[in-house]
Amino acid sequence: MKIFKFGGASTKDAENVKNVVSVINQTGEKDLVVVVSAMGKITNALEEVVNDYFDDNGNIKDSLRIVYDFHFEILKGLFQSSSHSSFGELDKSFKELKHFLETNKSKNHAFVYDQVVSYGEIISSTIISAYFSEIGIKNTWLDVRQCIKTDANYRDANVDWEKTQQRILERVSAQGITVTQGFLGAENTNNFTTTLGREGSDYTAAIFAYCLNAENVTIWKDVPGVLNADPRYFTKTQLYNNISYREAIELAFYGASVIHPKTLQPLQRKEIPLFVKSFLNPTAPGTCVGKGVLLDPFTSSFILKKDQVLISLSSLDFSFMMENNIGDVFKLLHEYKMKVNLIQNSAISFSVCVDNRFGNLEPLLAKLRENFSVKWNENVSLYTIRHFKTAEVKALAENKNVLLKQESKETVQLVIKE
Ligand code: ADP
Ligand code: ASP
Ligand code: MG
């Protein structure tokens, strides 16, 4: 049994959905869990729906229409007859979604977010499963919310491993093809939909692999594998043939967005290999993440995290920044769901570089100002170089406004105001 994961790029239009079949056929695999995420950039489009809902700005009809039309176009490209049941399924999902928006009473943004955004995965998996059936690939559509049980930490839910494992083993056949959704779960008490964090479908693939003791996992991407830098921002990138779990965890943690950071740990625990391959060239070897060699070829990797905030705190009375007040800062960062990517401290000051997410920056800053003198810089970039050479750091920093630099044996990080 193997796990395949297809992300948004691999299903962004009808041609790409057809290519998914070609990928599966070329690999010849028969016993698969196929985890799919929302098609193209539909999660972003559904985020707009949520924004319009809360802003009550009269735009929600338009933002829903964009999501509907996008999927309708894909259906037209996949199914000859407009009476195919998939059109009715799409309408049914939209009726449900609209009904939720009309009747919902909750003001909890994260809760509403998950109930709405999850339609991306529900619709994509329904379409893909129907298309497989249409062309004769027998498959079972699985509602992942019956399997992946979580807490109620909406938008970033934590998996209840015991219940999840039990349910996956009960509900997923080791034979044949199962098509299911990435990114989604359901909370334990009322079964409301939860999500596992943006880009979380890779993680779903790892959860299935762990629970089913899968032979391996392949995530199919629009790049040849894990490169030593994101080709969107760096030229002359190199492909890694092999990476250790440890190194891959570090790369993902620092922001190499080709693998979701939570993906590696469950795989590493059972030593299940992870392949990162191109859906455009499925027979090429891609990258294997596994046990053993750290990096092959051993070349530095460059990671860029955009849209960061650098927050610098000092005590109001020039007293030292010690365990107690740093502890308070961390409690607040946790409470406001700020993901910390870099920390630096001196006797009287403390700096953190965090992801600017969930719109929590303003309230956090207000809270910090109660006890500290606070300075901050928005829209900064965090560059990380693993296994750096001095000349590479110099070249990267040249003519740039470096706000902070931190260096350890393996890793250098620069916070840059671009
Ligand atoms: P999907 O959502 O379709 O599964 P993603 O878009 O999340 O795929 O991930 C693929 C993208 O990750 C690539 O197009 C590339 O721009 C980006 N990326 C970032 N870092 C790396 C890296 N080190 N190697 C390869 N791709 C990377
Ligand atoms: N569709 C979700 C997102 O865009 C999950 C994923 O793609 O992995 O974040
Ligand atoms: Mg993605």
Side-chain angles (χ1 to χ4, degrees):
M1 155 119 297
K2 294 179 182 170
I3 317 291
F4 279 6
K5 179 254 165 170
F6 291 93
S10 61
T11 55
K12 67 174 191 269
D13 53 30
E15 282 320 301
N16 273 279
V17 176
K18 291 177 184 170
N19 182 61
V20 166
V21 173
S22 155
V23 170
I24 294 177
N25 286 341
Q26 284 184 65
T27 64
E29 297 300 341
K30 301 276 179 262
D31 302 322
L32 282 176
V33 175
V34 178
V35 174
V36 300
S37 35
M39 295 171 152
K41 302 257 180 248
I42 279 302
T43 305
N44 294 355
L46 285 161
E47 283 187 343
E48 281 306 309
V49 172
V50 177
N51 290 342
D52 291 340
Y53 174 77
F54 278 103
D55 293 351
D56 201 11
N57 55 12
N59 293 341
I60 198 158
K61 260 200 161 135
D62 294 339
S63 49
L64 278 168
R65 166 69 47 193
I66 289 172
V67 178
Y68 183 86
D69 288 352
F70 176 87
H71 291 108
F72 191 80
E73 275 308 304
I74 292 188
L75 289 182
K76 279 201 300 187
L78 293 177
F79 303 105
Q80 311 257 300
S81 156
S82 59
S83 60
H84 190 277
S85 60
S86 285
F87 290 91
E89 290 285 332
L90 179 63
D91 288 347
K92 195 173 131 221
S93 291
F94 263 77
K95 258 202 196 117
E96 260 177 49
L97 171 56
K98 284 182 180 156
H99 179 74
F100 170 78
L101 292 167
E102 278 157 20
T103 55
N104 168 60
K105 300 265 184 303
S106 171
K107 299 252 183 300
N108 178 345
H109 186 284
F111 166 79
V112 173
Y113 179 100
D114 282 1
Q115 309 320 302
V116 173
V117 162
S118 52
Y119 277 91
E121 271 69 14
I122 296 294
I123 295 171
S124 75
S125 60
T126 308
I127 295 176
I128 288 164
S129 170
Y131 182 66
F132 282 9
S133 301
E134 176 81 0
I135 58 163
I137 302 178
K138 216 169 145 244
N139 72 95
T140 310
W141 182 86
L142 172 76
D143 187 337
V144 81
R145 297 169 296 187
Q146 293 182 354
C147 293
I148 297 187
K149 290 288 142 185
T150 71
D151 62 9
N153 190 28
Y154 295 104
R155 292 188 78 164
D156 203 8
N158 300 294
V159 173
D160 178 333
W161 281 93
E162 218 171 286
K163 284 203 176 115
T164 299
Q165 167 124 36
Q166 191 196 340
R167 282 160 176 260
I168 285 180
L169 288 172
E170 277 165 14
R171 288 170 166 80
V172 181
S173 161
Q175 265 99 49
I177 295 183
T178 300
V179 176
T180 196
Q181 308 83 42
F183 185 47
L184 312 185
E187 51 82 36
N188 265 318
T189 328
N190 298 306
N191 257 332
F192 285 119
T193 304
T194 55
T195 63
L196 307 176
R198 282 300 309 259
E199 305 296 331
S201 297
D202 294 348
Y203 181 39
T204 305
I207 296 170
F208 275 96
Y210 180 91
C211 295
L212 292 164
N213 286 320
E215 206 178 314
N216 59 48
V217 176
T218 306
I219 53 180
W220 296 97
K221 299 276 173 174
D222 59 356
V223 279
V226 180
L227 305 166
N228 74 326
D230 186 337
R232 282 176 302 177
Y233 308 122
F234 295 86
T235 51
K236 294 197 202 130
T237 53
Q238 265 179 283
L239 174 70
Y240 290 121
N241 305 313
N242 289 287
I243 311 184
S244 67
Y245 293 111
R246 208 198 142 142
E247 184 64 21
I249 287 173
E250 296 284 355
L251 294 181
F253 172 80
Y254 285 116
S257 60
V258 64
I259 307 175
H260 187 276
K262 285 186 182 166
T263 311
L264 279 318
Q265 201 237 5
L267 299 179
Q268 186 265 337
R269 276 171 59 196
K270 288 206 173 163
E271 294 185 359
I272 298 169
L274 169 71
F275 293 96
V276 182
K277 294 192 187 201
S278 164
F279 58 76
L280 299 169
N281 191 5
T283 52
T287 301
C288 175
V289 182
K291 218 174 117 182
V293 59
L294 193 66
L295 270 180
D296 163 34
F298 194 84
T299 183
S300 350
S301 39
F302 295 75
I303 302 152
L304 167 58
K305 255 185 174 253
K306 290 185 162 198
D307 199 16
Q308 299 288 294
V309 190
L310 181 64
I311 305 174
S312 300
L313 308 170
S314 49
S315 46
L316 292 168
D317 57 0
F318 270 82
S319 61
F320 294 133
M321 289 295 284
M322 299 292 281
E323 293 80 359
N324 56 341
N325 42 17
I326 291 180
D328 293 342
V329 174
F330 270 100
K331 250 192 225 140
L332 285 175
L333 289 167
H334 179 67
E335 202 176 300
Y336 288 86
K337 299 186 175 178
M338 287 291 173
K339 185 175 171 292
V340 177
N341 295 314
L342 178 148
I343 305 161
Q344 197 163 68
N345 71 311
S346 73
I348 56 162
S349 80
F350 178 77
S351 300
V352 279
C353 188
V354 297
D355 285 342
N356 192 1
R357 55 178 196 168
F358 303 157
N360 282 351
L361 181 63
E362 279 308 319
L364 170 71
L365 292 175
K367 194 84 190 154
L368 287 169
R369 274 192 221 103
E370 290 174 10
N371 293 308
F372 301 97
S373 154
V374 183
K375 290 188 187 141
W376 77 101
N377 251 297
E378 287 180 57
N379 285 319
V380 299
S381 296
L382 175 62
Y383 285 85
T384 305
I385 314 180
R386 295 269 300 158
H387 315 292
F388 61 93
K389 297 183 190 76
T390 312
E392 292 167 341
V393 182
K394 217 172 137 204
L396 184 68
E398 206 165 87
N399 301 323
K400 293 208 175 84
N401 181 8
V402 179
L403 303 177
L404 194 151
K405 180 178 172 188
Q406 194 169 78
E407 188 172 320
S408 67
K409 199 164 145 252
E410 298 291 356
T411 309
V412 65
Q413 292 192 285
L414 304 171
V415 179
I416 289 176
K417 180 87 194 160
E418 311 246 29

